[in-house]
Amino acid sequence: QVQLVESGGGLVQPGGSLRLSCVASGRIFSINDMGWYRQAPGKERELVASKSSGDTTKYADSVKGRFTISRDNAKNSVYLQMNSLKPEDTAVYYCNAMGLTTWEQSTRDYWGQGTQVTVSS
């Protein structure tokens, strides 16, 4: 069974930094895209950043220049370094694995359980 487990959320002051980690475990053959989404109270879930298996990256305009996504394909892991955090970055952050194929040749998208990031003084 495939699982995505996130870590690294927490409370940080404005201007501070956090690093989120996500590890996908199970009988994984390949993963197309890995990324991070976030959902603030009363808002829809939105893409923060993603990285394809071919190293193509995407960022939300609101985080460009402040957040950096990285990926370790050998470890089926994705990371999000968040710098210069703002109160508006407060949200639950979800790890996403898009187009994950198992050794049983089943392909679908998977989500982590979410980790809270709160930016407040």
Side-chain angles (χ1 to χ4, degrees), residues 27-104:
R27 292 176 51 79
I28 298 169
F29 177 74
S30 66
I31 305 173
N32 286 344
D33 293 0
M34 294 192 79
W36 294 92
Y37 287 70
R38 66 186 181 188
Q39 187 167 20
K43 294 189 176 181
E44 293 187 353
R45 191 174 296 190
E46 63 174 359
L47 173 69
V48 177
S50 68
K51 196 169 188 72
S52 73
S53 56
D55 247 16
T56 300
T57 60
K58 295 180 183 179
Y59 290 98
D61 287 343
S62 59
V63 307
K64 284 180 181 177
R66 300 188 298 121
F67 290 10
T68 302
I69 188 170
S70 59
R71 179 174 170 176
D72 186 334
N73 292 327
K75 296 182 179 179
N76 291 323
S77 298
V78 64
Y79 310 94
L80 187 68
Q81 178 65 44
M82 304 185 293
N83 298 330
S84 302
L85 282 160
K86 304 175 181 179
E88 51 263 43
D89 295 317
T90 296
V92 178
Y93 284 68
Y94 295 91
C95 177
N96 170 257
M98 188 177 296
L100 187 154
T101 300
T102 65
W103 282 101
E104 288 75 25

Side-chain angles (χ1 to χ4, degrees), residues 3-4 6 9 18 21 34 44 54 59 65 68 77 81 87 94 99 104 106-107 110 112 115 120:
Q3 284 189 318
L4 270 60
E6 302 115 333
L18 282 175
S21 299
M34 294 192 79
E44 293 187 353
Y59 290 98
T68 302
S77 298
Q81 178 65 44
Y94 295 91
E104 288 75 25
S106 168
T107 301
Y110 289 84
T115 185
S120 175

